[in-house]
Amino acid sequence: MKVLRWSLQLHKWIGLVVGVQVLAWVAGGLIMTVLPIEKVRGEHHVADARPAPLDPSRLLSAADVARIAGVAPIDADLKSTPRGPVWVLKPASGEPVIRDAILGTPLPPMDDEEVRTFARLAYKGDAHVVAVRLLAEAPQETGRTGPLWRVDFNDLERTTFYLSPATAEVVTRRSGLWRFYDVFWRLHIMDLKTGENFNHPLIIAAAVLTLSIVVTGIILLWIRLARDLQQWRAAGRRAREARQAG
């Protein structure tokens, strides 16, 4: 009886503490199961891109571009972008330096119309661009730093493309569907601030408490089934004795 009473009290009070989070876990799991991750990521709105072939005879070497830019890179990548070939030079510290691979100079700033054109070329679908803005600092939802162009489309998902101000590449995609999914993801991992850390003490404690609910629930079920089995056996004996006495 002491085990039953202890298990019942522990099960009840811990259930009150973590019940809301368990509901969030179940709801989040349901959302993640129902919504295809490809659609959440907006992959169905990505146009098929065919980068233009590079003409090596027209390109400066990474060493020449690094010398012109005054950068001592630890890594250099040659990329074909919507604005042409570029060298991406990565110094030992700080942000990568992007330079025109033909001239060795920084790419000139883009205006709204250029950004609108590049975004529309990268978009797959019939929606129209409804807003174009240059953001001085990348929003948290992008997982990026530095300035970005934001381009909004008027499709059903309210798709947003974030473009690099230098290369016009779409660095990330977001939408109303993604933001809805993100709310449940943050609740699921109990990280409302960044939605990235799923190893923090709070979720570990919640998982341990939830495990204790499962264990005490099994104990309660075992005791209840054993008690019911005893009652069924006792009822069967009484029934047999009654038949024999009759």
Side-chain angles (χ1 to χ4, degrees):
M1 292 300 295
K2 287 184 179 180
V3 174
L4 177 60
R5 187 161 49 249
W6 176 84
S7 297
L8 183 59
Q9 292 298 321
L10 188 62
H11 188 81
K12 179 176 66 175
W13 289 109
I14 294 179
L16 288 174
V17 172
V18 301
V20 174
Q21 182 56 42
V22 171
L23 177 62
W25 283 339
V26 174
L30 177 62
I31 294 297
M32 295 172 201
T33 302
V34 170
L35 297 179
I37 191 63
E38 296 80 11
K39 193 166 185 178
V40 172
R41 292 172 179 165
E43 295 178 8
H44 58 300
H45 284 313
V46 178
D48 296 330
R50 293 185 179 180
L54 296 175
D55 182 0
S57 64
R58 300 180 58 214
L59 306 181
L60 295 175
S61 68
D64 289 338
V65 174
R67 178 176 48 79
I68 294 171
V71 177
I74 60 173
D75 191 17
D77 293 324
L78 179 62
K79 297 179 62 177
S80 180
T81 77
R83 302 187 74 190
V86 300
W87 277 106
V88 181
L89 309 175
K90 300 176 183 177
S93 61
E95 295 293 323
V97 176
I98 300 174
R99 291 293 184 267
D100 188 306
I102 297 175
L103 303 175
T105 57
L107 281 77
M110 296 184 292
D111 59 28
D112 289 17
E113 285 305 314
E114 287 181 286
V115 174
R116 184 184 296 265
T117 299
F118 284 124
R120 192 65 191 83
L121 289 173
Y123 179 86
K124 181 179 180 181
D126 299 325
H128 300 286
V129 175
V130 293
V132 178
R133 288 180 289 164
L134 177 60
L135 306 178
E137 185 59 37
Q140 185 192 53
E141 70 175 12
T142 64
R144 305 269 177 168
T145 59
L148 286 177
W149 280 97
R150 172 173 174 156
V151 181
D152 295 317
F153 294 86
N154 63 350
D155 55 23
L156 184 62
E157 298 97 340
R158 305 194 308 280
T159 299
T160 298
F161 279 5
Y162 288 98
L163 278 68
S164 163
T167 65
E169 295 172 290
V170 178
V171 297
T172 192
R173 303 173 301 275
R174 296 295 180 255
S175 66
L177 183 62
W178 184 95
R179 296 176 185 106
F180 174 76
Y181 183 97
D182 188 53
V183 169
F184 283 92
W185 168 253
R186 290 172 185 246
L187 290 173
H188 195 77
I189 67 170
M190 301 179 70
D191 181 10
L192 301 180
K193 186 175 182 180
T194 65
E196 297 178 357
N197 185 4
F198 50 86
N199 295 114
H200 54 85
L202 182 60
I203 193 171
I204 294 173
V208 170
L209 291 175
T210 304
L211 178 61
S212 69
I213 290 179
V214 174
V215 172
T216 54
I218 292 174
I219 293 173
L220 291 171
L221 179 61
W222 179 267
I223 294 174
R224 175 57 61 86
L225 289 177
R227 179 181 294 177
D228 290 345
L229 183 59
Q230 290 177 351
Q231 291 176 351
W232 294 335
R233 288 176 176 174
R237 284 196 301 269
R238 288 194 297 268
R240 287 194 298 271
E241 291 172 357
R243 286 196 300 270
Q244 292 173 358

mmCIF file of all heavy atoms in Angstrom, residues 31-68:
data_model
loop_
_atom_site.group_PDB
_atom_site.id
_atom_site.type_symbol
_atom_site.label_atom_id
_atom_site.label_comp_id
_atom_site.label_asym_id
_atom_site.label_seq_id
_atom_site.Cartn_x
_atom_site.Cartn_y
_atom_site.Cartn_z
ATOM 1 N N ILE A 31 2.903 17.937 -35.720
ATOM 2 C CA ILE A 31 3.147 18.936 -36.760
ATOM 3 C C ILE A 31 4.307 18.508 -37.651
ATOM 4 O O ILE A 31 4.255 18.595 -38.879
ATOM 5 C CB ILE A 31 3.437 20.308 -36.132
ATOM 6 C CG1 ILE A 31 2.194 20.848 -35.414
ATOM 7 C CG2 ILE A 31 3.907 21.300 -37.189
ATOM 8 C CD1 ILE A 31 1.012 21.096 -36.302
ATOM 9 N N MET A 32 5.385 18.022 -37.041
ATOM 10 C CA MET A 32 6.559 17.614 -37.815
ATOM 11 C C MET A 32 6.267 16.405 -38.695
ATOM 12 O O MET A 32 6.885 16.220 -39.747
ATOM 13 C CB MET A 32 7.721 17.308 -36.867
ATOM 14 C CG MET A 32 8.226 18.510 -36.104
ATOM 15 S SD MET A 32 9.437 18.046 -34.834
ATOM 16 C CE MET A 32 9.340 19.489 -33.756
ATOM 17 N N THR A 33 5.329 15.578 -38.254
ATOM 18 C CA THR A 33 4.966 14.402 -39.041
ATOM 19 C C THR A 33 4.052 14.772 -40.204
ATOM 20 O O THR A 33 4.197 14.249 -41.315
ATOM 21 C CB THR A 33 4.263 13.364 -38.151
ATOM 22 O OG1 THR A 33 5.132 13.005 -37.070
ATOM 23 C CG2 THR A 33 3.913 12.117 -38.938
ATOM 24 N N VAL A 34 3.128 15.687 -39.954
ATOM 25 C CA VAL A 34 2.117 16.042 -40.958
ATOM 26 C C VAL A 34 2.707 16.913 -42.066
ATOM 27 O O VAL A 34 2.407 16.723 -43.251
ATOM 28 C CB VAL A 34 0.931 16.755 -40.280
ATOM 29 C CG1 VAL A 34 -0.016 17.340 -41.328
ATOM 30 C CG2 VAL A 34 0.177 15.794 -39.371
ATOM 31 N N LEU A 35 3.574 17.884 -41.688
ATOM 32 C CA LEU A 35 4.096 18.830 -42.679
ATOM 33 C C LEU A 35 5.365 18.281 -43.329
ATOM 34 O O LEU A 35 6.355 18.025 -42.641
ATOM 35 C CB LEU A 35 4.404 20.175 -42.006
ATOM 36 C CG LEU A 35 3.221 20.919 -41.396
ATOM 37 C CD1 LEU A 35 3.685 22.206 -40.742
ATOM 38 C CD2 LEU A 35 2.164 21.208 -42.450
ATOM 39 N N PRO A 36 5.377 18.097 -44.635
ATOM 40 C CA PRO A 36 6.597 17.632 -45.318
ATOM 41 C C PRO A 36 7.720 18.657 -45.139
ATOM 42 O O PRO A 36 7.516 19.850 -45.388
ATOM 43 C CB PRO A 36 6.174 17.521 -46.786
ATOM 44 C CG PRO A 36 4.679 17.480 -46.762
ATOM 45 C CD PRO A 36 4.262 18.280 -45.576
ATOM 46 N N ILE A 37 8.892 18.204 -44.717
ATOM 47 C CA ILE A 37 9.990 19.119 -44.433
ATOM 48 C C ILE A 37 10.434 19.859 -45.692
ATOM 49 O O ILE A 37 10.894 21.008 -45.622
ATOM 50 C CB ILE A 37 11.173 18.359 -43.784
ATOM 51 C CG1 ILE A 37 12.205 19.339 -43.243
ATOM 52 C CG2 ILE A 37 11.786 17.383 -44.775
ATOM 53 C CD1 ILE A 37 11.693 20.238 -42.147
ATOM 54 N N GLU A 38 10.280 19.234 -46.881
ATOM 55 C CA GLU A 38 10.657 19.902 -48.119
ATOM 56 C C GLU A 38 9.795 21.137 -48.360
ATOM 57 O O GLU A 38 10.284 22.169 -48.833
ATOM 58 C CB GLU A 38 10.539 18.942 -49.308
ATOM 59 C CG GLU A 38 11.479 17.753 -49.261
ATOM 60 C CD GLU A 38 10.984 16.640 -48.346
ATOM 61 O OE1 GLU A 38 9.807 16.705 -47.908
ATOM 62 O OE2 GLU A 38 11.766 15.711 -48.074
ATOM 63 N N LYS A 39 8.503 21.024 -48.010
ATOM 64 C CA LYS A 39 7.615 22.169 -48.188
ATOM 65 C C LYS A 39 7.886 23.237 -47.139
ATOM 66 O O LYS A 39 7.802 24.436 -47.430
ATOM 67 C CB LYS A 39 6.157 21.705 -48.105
ATOM 68 C CG LYS A 39 5.162 22.761 -48.582
ATOM 69 C CD LYS A 39 3.799 22.158 -48.797
ATOM 70 C CE LYS A 39 2.850 23.199 -49.404
ATOM 71 N NZ LYS A 39 1.505 22.629 -49.681
ATOM 72 N N VAL A 40 8.200 22.808 -45.923
ATOM 73 C CA VAL A 40 8.550 23.767 -44.872
ATOM 74 C C VAL A 40 9.772 24.577 -45.291
ATOM 75 O O VAL A 40 9.841 25.790 -45.076
ATOM 76 C CB VAL A 40 8.815 23.037 -43.540
ATOM 77 C CG1 VAL A 40 9.369 23.992 -42.494
ATOM 78 C CG2 VAL A 40 7.534 22.383 -43.030
ATOM 79 N N ARG A 41 10.737 23.913 -45.914
ATOM 80 C CA ARG A 41 11.955 24.600 -46.354
ATOM 81 C C ARG A 41 11.756 25.413 -47.629
ATOM 82 O O ARG A 41 12.665 26.117 -48.066
ATOM 83 C CB ARG A 41 13.061 23.570 -46.591
ATOM 84 C CG ARG A 41 13.545 22.888 -45.316
ATOM 85 C CD ARG A 41 14.477 21.750 -45.653
ATOM 86 N NE ARG A 41 14.990 21.089 -44.460
ATOM 87 C CZ ARG A 41 15.582 19.904 -44.451
ATOM 88 N NH1 ARG A 41 15.730 19.238 -45.592
ATOM 89 N NH2 ARG A 41 16.024 19.382 -43.331
ATOM 90 N N GLY A 42 10.598 25.290 -48.253
ATOM 91 C CA GLY A 42 10.317 26.046 -49.464
ATOM 92 C C GLY A 42 11.024 25.524 -50.695
ATOM 93 O O GLY A 42 11.210 26.260 -51.676
ATOM 94 N N GLU A 43 11.393 24.241 -50.685
ATOM 95 C CA GLU A 43 12.132 23.689 -51.822
ATOM 96 C C GLU A 43 11.301 23.649 -53.097
ATOM 97 O O GLU A 43 11.859 23.653 -54.198
ATOM 98 C CB GLU A 43 12.643 22.287 -51.468
ATOM 99 C CG GLU A 43 13.664 22.281 -50.337
ATOM 100 C CD GLU A 43 14.122 20.894 -49.953
ATOM 101 O OE1 GLU A 43 13.758 19.923 -50.676
ATOM 102 O OE2 GLU A 43 14.825 20.753 -48.936
ATOM 103 N N HIS A 44 9.969 23.614 -52.945
ATOM 104 C CA HIS A 44 9.108 23.578 -54.132
ATOM 105 C C HIS A 44 9.046 24.937 -54.827
ATOM 106 O O HIS A 44 8.478 25.049 -55.921
ATOM 107 C CB HIS A 44 7.695 23.123 -53.741
ATOM 108 C CG HIS A 44 7.042 23.988 -52.707
ATOM 109 N ND1 HIS A 44 7.560 24.193 -51.449
ATOM 110 C CD2 HIS A 44 5.889 24.719 -52.759
ATOM 111 C CE1 HIS A 44 6.764 24.986 -50.761
ATOM 112 N NE2 HIS A 44 5.751 25.330 -51.540
ATOM 113 N N HIS A 45 9.600 25.971 -54.203
ATOM 114 C CA HIS A 45 9.637 27.304 -54.818
ATOM 115 C C HIS A 45 11.043 27.674 -55.296
ATOM 116 O O HIS A 45 11.320 28.856 -55.521
ATOM 117 C CB HIS A 45 9.130 28.358 -53.835
ATOM 118 C CG HIS A 45 7.642 28.360 -53.667
ATOM 119 N ND1 HIS A 45 6.772 28.326 -54.734
ATOM 120 C CD2 HIS A 45 6.869 28.379 -52.549
ATOM 121 C CE1 HIS A 45 5.531 28.332 -54.288
ATOM 122 N NE2 HIS A 45 5.553 28.349 -52.967
ATOM 123 N N VAL A 46 11.903 26.693 -55.428
ATOM 124 C CA VAL A 46 13.269 26.953 -55.898
ATOM 125 C C VAL A 46 13.350 26.623 -57.381
ATOM 126 O O VAL A 46 13.130 25.476 -57.789
ATOM 127 C CB VAL A 46 14.296 26.111 -55.114
ATOM 128 C CG1 VAL A 46 15.705 26.371 -55.650
ATOM 129 C CG2 VAL A 46 14.225 26.429 -53.629
ATOM 130 N N ALA A 47 13.657 27.619 -58.183
ATOM 131 C CA ALA A 47 13.763 27.407 -59.629
ATOM 132 C C ALA A 47 15.020 26.603 -59.949
ATOM 133 O O ALA A 47 16.030 26.688 -59.246
ATOM 134 C CB ALA A 47 13.810 28.753 -60.341
ATOM 135 N N ASP A 48 14.935 25.804 -61.010
ATOM 136 C CA ASP A 48 16.101 25.055 -61.460
ATOM 137 C C ASP A 48 17.148 26.030 -62.005
ATOM 138 O O ASP A 48 16.877 26.799 -62.930
ATOM 139 C CB ASP A 48 15.702 24.063 -62.556
ATOM 140 C CG ASP A 48 14.745 23.002 -62.032
ATOM 141 O OD1 ASP A 48 14.843 22.673 -60.834
ATOM 142 O OD2 ASP A 48 13.911 22.514 -62.820
ATOM 143 N N ALA A 49 18.324 26.010 -61.396
ATOM 144 C CA ALA A 49 19.376 26.953 -61.794
ATOM 145 C C ALA A 49 20.480 26.225 -62.542
ATOM 146 O O ALA A 49 20.905 25.140 -62.141
ATOM 147 C CB ALA A 49 19.951 27.652 -60.558
ATOM 148 N N ARG A 50 20.943 26.855 -63.592
ATOM 149 C CA ARG A 50 22.064 26.333 -64.361
ATOM 150 C C ARG A 50 23.160 27.404 -64.389
ATOM 151 O O ARG A 50 23.092 28.356 -65.162
ATOM 152 C CB ARG A 50 21.640 25.994 -65.789
ATOM 153 C CG ARG A 50 20.662 24.822 -65.869
ATOM 154 C CD ARG A 50 20.369 24.461 -67.302
ATOM 155 N NE ARG A 50 19.462 23.323 -67.398
ATOM 156 C CZ ARG A 50 19.045 22.791 -68.550
ATOM 157 N NH1 ARG A 50 19.457 23.320 -69.707
ATOM 158 N NH2 ARG A 50 18.216 21.757 -68.554
ATOM 159 N N PRO A 51 24.155 27.263 -63.510
ATOM 160 C CA PRO A 51 25.222 28.270 -63.463
ATOM 161 C C PRO A 51 25.913 28.411 -64.817
ATOM 162 O O PRO A 51 26.106 27.435 -65.546
ATOM 163 C CB PRO A 51 26.187 27.715 -62.407
ATOM 164 C CG PRO A 51 25.367 26.754 -61.601
ATOM 165 C CD PRO A 51 24.361 26.177 -62.554
ATOM 166 N N ALA A 52 26.259 29.639 -65.135
ATOM 167 C CA ALA A 52 26.962 29.886 -66.394
ATOM 168 C C ALA A 52 28.353 29.275 -66.340
ATOM 169 O O ALA A 52 29.016 29.317 -65.295
ATOM 170 C CB ALA A 52 27.056 31.393 -66.635
ATOM 171 N N PRO A 53 28.816 28.695 -67.437
ATOM 172 C CA PRO A 53 30.175 28.114 -67.460
ATOM 173 C C PRO A 53 31.227 29.191 -67.197
ATOM 174 O O PRO A 53 31.092 30.342 -67.620
ATOM 175 C CB PRO A 53 30.300 27.555 -68.877
ATOM 176 C CG PRO A 53 28.899 27.435 -69.376
ATOM 177 C CD PRO A 53 28.114 28.519 -68.708
ATOM 178 N N LEU A 54 32.277 28.819 -66.476
ATOM 179 C CA LEU A 54 33.369 29.744 -66.199
ATOM 180 C C LEU A 54 34.398 29.685 -67.323
ATOM 181 O O LEU A 54 34.736 28.614 -67.824
ATOM 182 C CB LEU A 54 34.029 29.381 -64.873
ATOM 183 C CG LEU A 54 33.155 29.496 -63.624
ATOM 184 C CD1 LEU A 54 33.909 28.978 -62.396
ATOM 185 C CD2 LEU A 54 32.723 30.931 -63.405
ATOM 186 N N ASP A 55 34.903 30.844 -67.689
ATOM 187 C CA ASP A 55 35.963 30.927 -68.696
ATOM 188 C C ASP A 55 37.272 31.224 -67.965
ATOM 189 O O ASP A 55 37.557 32.384 -67.627
ATOM 190 C CB ASP A 55 35.646 32.033 -69.696
ATOM 191 C CG ASP A 55 36.697 32.130 -70.804
ATOM 192 O OD1 ASP A 55 37.656 31.324 -70.775
ATOM 193 O OD2 ASP A 55 36.560 33.010 -71.670
ATOM 194 N N PRO A 56 38.075 30.205 -67.681
ATOM 195 C CA PRO A 56 39.288 30.410 -66.883
ATOM 196 C C PRO A 56 40.233 31.454 -67.470
ATOM 197 O O PRO A 56 40.983 32.096 -66.727
ATOM 198 C CB PRO A 56 39.946 29.018 -66.883
ATOM 199 C CG PRO A 56 38.818 28.067 -67.153
ATOM 200 C CD PRO A 56 37.901 28.810 -68.077
ATOM 201 N N SER A 57 40.202 31.634 -68.781
ATOM 202 C CA SER A 57 41.135 32.578 -69.399
ATOM 203 C C SER A 57 40.837 34.022 -69.006
ATOM 204 O O SER A 57 41.715 34.898 -69.126
ATOM 205 C CB SER A 57 41.086 32.433 -70.929
ATOM 206 O OG SER A 57 39.799 32.791 -71.419
ATOM 207 N N ARG A 58 39.625 34.291 -68.552
ATOM 208 C CA ARG A 58 39.248 35.657 -68.182
ATOM 209 C C ARG A 58 39.375 35.920 -66.687
ATOM 210 O O ARG A 58 39.183 37.047 -66.234
ATOM 211 C CB ARG A 58 37.802 35.930 -68.601
ATOM 212 C CG ARG A 58 37.548 35.799 -70.094
ATOM 213 C CD ARG A 58 36.092 36.102 -70.398
ATOM 214 N NE ARG A 58 35.721 37.436 -69.950
ATOM 215 C CZ ARG A 58 34.524 37.767 -69.471
ATOM 216 N NH1 ARG A 58 33.594 36.841 -69.328
ATOM 217 N NH2 ARG A 58 34.264 39.014 -69.109
ATOM 218 N N LEU A 59 39.668 34.871 -65.916
ATOM 219 C CA LEU A 59 39.621 35.003 -64.461
ATOM 220 C C LEU A 59 40.997 35.259 -63.872
ATOM 221 O O LEU A 59 42.009 34.725 -64.327
ATOM 222 C CB LEU A 59 39.040 33.731 -63.846
ATOM 223 C CG LEU A 59 37.679 33.274 -64.366
ATOM 224 C CD1 LEU A 59 37.238 32.017 -63.650
ATOM 225 C CD2 LEU A 59 36.647 34.383 -64.199
ATOM 226 N N LEU A 60 41.012 36.097 -62.833
ATOM 227 C CA LEU A 60 42.226 36.300 -62.057
ATOM 228 C C LEU A 60 42.420 35.121 -61.108
ATOM 229 O O LEU A 60 41.462 34.451 -60.723
ATOM 230 C CB LEU A 60 42.125 37.593 -61.245
ATOM 231 C CG LEU A 60 42.041 38.903 -62.042
ATOM 232 C CD1 LEU A 60 41.812 40.070 -61.089
ATOM 233 C CD2 LEU A 60 43.307 39.122 -62.863
ATOM 234 N N SER A 61 43.650 34.900 -60.741
ATOM 235 C CA SER A 61 43.934 33.836 -59.779
ATOM 236 C C SER A 61 43.538 34.292 -58.376
ATOM 237 O O SER A 61 43.392 35.500 -58.107
ATOM 238 C CB SER A 61 45.415 33.466 -59.802
ATOM 239 O OG SER A 61 46.193 34.546 -59.289
ATOM 240 N N ALA A 62 43.402 33.322 -57.479
ATOM 241 C CA ALA A 62 43.079 33.652 -56.093
ATOM 242 C C ALA A 62 44.178 34.505 -55.480
ATOM 243 O O ALA A 62 43.906 35.431 -54.699
ATOM 244 C CB ALA A 62 42.877 32.372 -55.281
ATOM 245 N N ALA A 63 45.429 34.229 -55.824
ATOM 246 C CA ALA A 63 46.546 35.003 -55.280
ATOM 247 C C ALA A 63 46.478 36.454 -55.739
ATOM 248 O O ALA A 63 46.705 37.382 -54.939
ATOM 249 C CB ALA A 63 47.871 34.365 -55.713
ATOM 250 N N ASP A 64 46.151 36.681 -57.013
ATOM 251 C CA ASP A 64 46.057 38.050 -57.518
ATOM 252 C C ASP A 64 44.917 38.810 -56.842
ATOM 253 O O ASP A 64 45.075 39.982 -56.456
ATOM 254 C CB ASP A 64 45.850 38.037 -59.038
ATOM 255 C CG ASP A 64 47.096 37.595 -59.793
ATOM 256 O OD1 ASP A 64 48.198 37.710 -59.221
ATOM 257 O OD2 ASP A 64 46.950 37.118 -60.937
ATOM 258 N N VAL A 65 43.777 38.145 -56.705
ATOM 259 C CA VAL A 65 42.625 38.807 -56.077
ATOM 260 C C VAL A 65 42.908 39.096 -54.595
ATOM 261 O O VAL A 65 42.568 40.163 -54.084
ATOM 262 C CB VAL A 65 41.361 37.939 -56.223
ATOM 263 C CG1 VAL A 65 40.197 38.542 -55.449
ATOM 264 C CG2 VAL A 65 40.988 37.791 -57.692
ATOM 265 N N ALA A 66 43.566 38.165 -53.915
ATOM 266 C CA ALA A 66 43.912 38.381 -52.507
ATOM 267 C C ALA A 66 44.869 39.557 -52.366
ATOM 268 O O ALA A 66 44.756 40.362 -51.432
ATOM 269 C CB ALA A 66 44.525 37.114 -51.927
ATOM 270 N N ARG A 67 45.801 39.679 -53.295
ATOM 271 C CA ARG A 67 46.745 40.803 -53.250
ATOM 272 C C ARG A 67 46.020 42.122 -53.485
ATOM 273 O O ARG A 67 46.256 43.115 -52.773
ATOM 274 C CB ARG A 67 47.838 40.589 -54.301
ATOM 275 C CG ARG A 67 48.852 41.730 -54.380
ATOM 276 C CD ARG A 67 49.952 41.390 -55.381
ATOM 277 N NE ARG A 67 49.408 40.895 -56.648
ATOM 278 C CZ ARG A 67 48.896 41.687 -57.603
ATOM 279 N NH1 ARG A 67 48.827 42.995 -57.415
ATOM 280 N NH2 ARG A 67 48.429 41.162 -58.721
ATOM 281 N N ILE A 68 45.114 42.157 -54.456
ATOM 282 C CA ILE A 68 44.366 43.381 -54.746
ATOM 283 C C ILE A 68 43.489 43.772 -53.556
ATOM 284 O O ILE A 68 43.363 44.949 -53.201
ATOM 285 C CB ILE A 68 43.502 43.192 -56.008
ATOM 286 C CG1 ILE A 68 44.397 42.998 -57.237
ATOM 287 C CG2 ILE A 68 42.564 44.372 -56.215
ATOM 288 C CD1 ILE A 68 43.640 42.601 -58.489
#
